[in-house]
Amino acid sequence: MPWVEKYRPKKFEEFKGQEEIVNKLKRFVVLFPKTAQRAVLLYGPPGIGKTTLAYVLANETNSEIFELNASDLRNKDKMKDVLKPAIEQRSLLKKKKIILVDEVDGISESDRGGLPELVKLIDITPYPIILTANDAWSRNLSLLRRKTDMVQLKELDYKTMKLVLFDILRKENLFIENDIVTNISIKAKGDLRAAINDLQAISRVEEPGEISIDERNKETDIFNTLKQIFKENPRNDMLNIYDSVNMSIDDIILWIEENIPKEYKGEDLARAFERLSKTDVFKGRIYKQQYWRFLIYENILLSYGISASKKSPKTGFTSYKKPSRILKIWLHNQKTVLKKSIAKKYAAYVHVGLKRAMQEFALLKNIIKNPEVQRELKLEKEEIEYLSVNS
């Protein structure tokens, strides 16, 4: 039997390194439906225990759990046929019930109607809903973020992982040297499931010390990166910290700018913003003069420089925010897309060029506001709303 299944936690005390999150979820289920939100979006990297925690929660609160995978609920009809009956039917065996929708970020923008229908069902559910996702900040989950209480599971540090691995070895009456278990814990990079699998594989060989363990090549999310920059002392390896973040340096600058005031005050805040402004200066010189050698200064200032701006690290949990400037840019782009789609339909209908329709749009929109014209152009609901708002 795989050790990840054999030693899967069944009680809160067995779920290591996430005590604050466990207490928050427990309060959510116990207090439901008096909670502010009717669903929790539980997110974090793979292998960290999101689904397991939902089952532990059900076990500890004596609740029945009904699990669905979002890959099976991709459209509106599936949501109505599968999820709606689940939230309408009372538990047969226990007083309480938890609805678990796993891997909700598997619902893509092309799966029409799925996410809006899920949001509607969250509004009417008589039972607490727990959603899990690896990436809670993908664009197609914006509706869910507004309707849920977002809870991030943090990656386990290697010391906590070592304790779990040694506990498993004791239960299996096995001995593996400390250095090997430490190596497994470090190279798993927070993925406890991967670490347990590696441990089980190594336990079966005669000379464990001769086995080479591959380091997990995994992306680091922006939240963990910010936590290291803001809350840890500056280190030389921070110079490469953004290499594993799947995000452009321009977007990273916006994230840093948005969240500096959450961590730094007074002189620390002034130093951090001064270094951020110098980063922007180098970025401008790179773009304007093609001086690519300045990239090294941009990276140093944005990583080690921001981290070294504080006199001492700030302890405790900080909830980092998505940059508001990104939201404003996105909203502007959405308006531009709607404007262009309306102009394109008008241009095709009256046989003029799209460029001309866009240039004359300020005059044309008064004509297009006519409901009969809208029907002739076959405008979508979003396009009609755009015309009414941008009058």
Side-chain angles (χ1 to χ4, degrees):
M1 185 178 182
W3 286 358
V4 289
E5 294 299 330
K6 186 176 181 179
Y7 297 107
R8 187 181 293 274
K10 295 179 175 60
K11 299 179 181 179
F12 287 143
E13 62 189 36
E14 297 172 355
F15 206 89
K16 304 296 184 182
Q18 308 283 1
E19 289 76 14
E20 184 179 345
I21 305 303
V22 166
N23 291 332
K24 188 171 185 178
L25 287 175
K26 186 177 179 180
R27 286 195 300 271
F28 168 71
V29 172
V30 171
L31 297 177
F32 189 90
K34 296 179 181 179
T35 50
Q37 301 284 12
R38 306 184 74 81
V40 164
L41 179 55
L42 194 60
Y43 68 100
I48 204 167
K50 299 184 292 294
T51 306
T52 297
L53 180 53
Y55 274 89
V56 171
L57 187 65
N59 183 55
E60 288 279 43
T61 57
N62 195 28
S63 304
E64 178 186 358
I65 189 164
F66 187 89
E67 180 183 357
L68 297 162
N69 193 288
S71 62
D72 301 321
L73 302 170
R74 288 188 175 278
N75 56 49
K76 185 176 181 179
D77 293 336
K78 285 284 186 181
M79 289 286 179
K80 286 184 176 180
D81 294 343
V82 181
L83 184 56
K84 190 174 181 181
I87 68 172
E88 291 176 343
Q89 183 179 359
R90 294 183 61 184
S91 173
L92 300 176
L93 304 175
K94 299 181 180 181
K95 291 183 179 180
K96 297 178 182 179
K97 182 177 181 179
I98 293 173
I99 307 294
L100 170 63
V101 183
D102 215 6
E103 299 177 345
V104 73
D105 44 345
I107 304 178
S108 69
E109 292 177 294
S110 60
D111 301 323
R112 295 186 64 82
L115 283 169
E117 185 64 23
L118 177 56
V119 169
K120 290 180 182 178
L121 294 176
I122 288 173
D123 284 334
I124 65 170
T125 179
Y127 303 107
I129 294 180
I130 296 178
L131 312 163
T132 72
N134 294 332
D135 179 15
W137 296 98
S138 60
R139 186 175 61 179
N140 57 311
L141 295 185
S142 58
L143 278 173
L144 279 183
R145 289 197 293 271
R146 292 197 292 268
K147 282 290 183 179
T148 59
D149 187 5
M150 297 180 64
V151 178
Q152 181 184 16
L153 259 70
K154 59 185 180 181
E155 288 188 349
L156 295 181
D157 62 81
Y158 83 93
K159 294 179 182 178
T160 303
M161 293 177 70
K162 273 181 63 177
L163 294 175
V164 175
L165 298 185
F166 275 123
D167 186 50
I168 291 174
L169 289 174
R170 279 193 295 271
K171 291 174 181 176
E172 291 289 326
N173 292 317
L174 295 172
F175 173 78
I176 294 179
E177 291 182 6
N178 179 68
D179 290 348
I180 297 174
V181 178
T182 301
N183 194 27
I184 292 172
S185 302
I186 291 172
K187 291 193 173 181
K189 288 190 173 180
D191 189 335
L192 181 59
R193 180 170 56 203
I196 294 173
N197 285 333
D198 287 344
L199 184 72
Q200 185 173 12
I202 281 182
S203 70
R204 295 171 177 170
V205 301
E206 292 183 4
E207 297 292 338
E210 297 178 2
I211 301 298
S212 175
I213 302 168
D214 292 332
E215 185 171 350
R216 293 300 186 280
N217 182 19
K218 53 190 290 188
E219 291 178 354
T220 305
D221 65 41
I222 187 64
F223 296 96
N224 283 325
T225 303
L226 292 179
K227 184 171 67 175
Q228 291 181 60
I229 292 291
F230 290 140
K231 293 188 178 297
E232 297 179 10
N233 289 316
R235 308 182 308 270
N236 288 337
D237 61 355
M238 281 184 176
L239 298 174
N240 302 316
I241 198 168
Y242 299 120
D243 292 349
S244 58
V245 179
N246 187 17
M247 187 177 288
S248 71
I249 200 72
D250 290 345
D251 286 343
I252 290 171
I253 289 173
L254 291 174
W255 277 90
I256 295 286
E257 176 193 43
E258 183 77 25
N259 291 287
I260 282 176
K262 285 178 167 287
E263 296 284 15
Y264 296 167
K265 304 296 180 185
E267 293 181 0
D268 293 354
L269 181 65
R271 275 193 297 271
F273 271 120
E274 180 188 13
R275 288 165 189 180
L276 185 65
S277 67
K278 288 181 178 177
T279 303
D280 199 49
V281 169
F282 279 113
K283 185 184 76 170
R285 290 173 180 171
I286 292 168
Y287 289 169
K288 185 177 180 180
Q289 303 173 14
Q290 302 293 293
Y291 286 173
W292 301 109
R293 63 181 181 274
F294 286 158
L295 280 171
I296 187 172
Y297 301 113
E298 183 181 33
N299 213 12
I300 290 170
L301 287 165
L302 197 59
S303 55
Y304 192 100
I306 297 294
S307 182
S309 299
K310 57 184 178 292
K311 291 181 179 177
S312 60
K314 177 184 174 184
T315 58
F317 175 76
T318 303
S319 178
Y320 298 123
K321 285 179 59 180
K322 190 175 184 179
S324 55
R325 276 212 280 165
I326 290 180
L327 177 61
K328 291 175 183 177
I329 293 168
W330 181 82
L331 290 172
H332 174 76
N333 290 341
Q334 287 296 104
K335 291 180 180 179
T336 303
V337 168
L338 290 170
K339 177 181 176 181
K340 189 172 182 179
S341 66
I342 296 169
K344 190 174 182 179
K345 290 179 180 179
Y346 175 84
Y349 192 84
V350 300
H351 306 290
V352 299
L354 174 60
K355 185 177 180 180
R356 179 180 173 184
M358 288 289 286
Q359 290 174 341
E360 298 176 355
F361 192 83
L363 299 173
L364 296 175
K365 67 180 180 183
N366 292 320
I367 300 172
I368 303 173
K369 285 179 184 177
N370 187 310
E372 292 185 11
V373 176
Q374 292 173 2
R375 283 193 292 272
E376 286 290 328
L377 296 180
K378 298 179 181 179
L379 297 187
E380 301 287 341
K381 181 182 177 181
E382 293 83 0
E383 295 169 331
I384 295 171
E385 288 177 354
Y386 169 82
L387 290 168
S388 61
V389 172
N390 295 274
S391 56

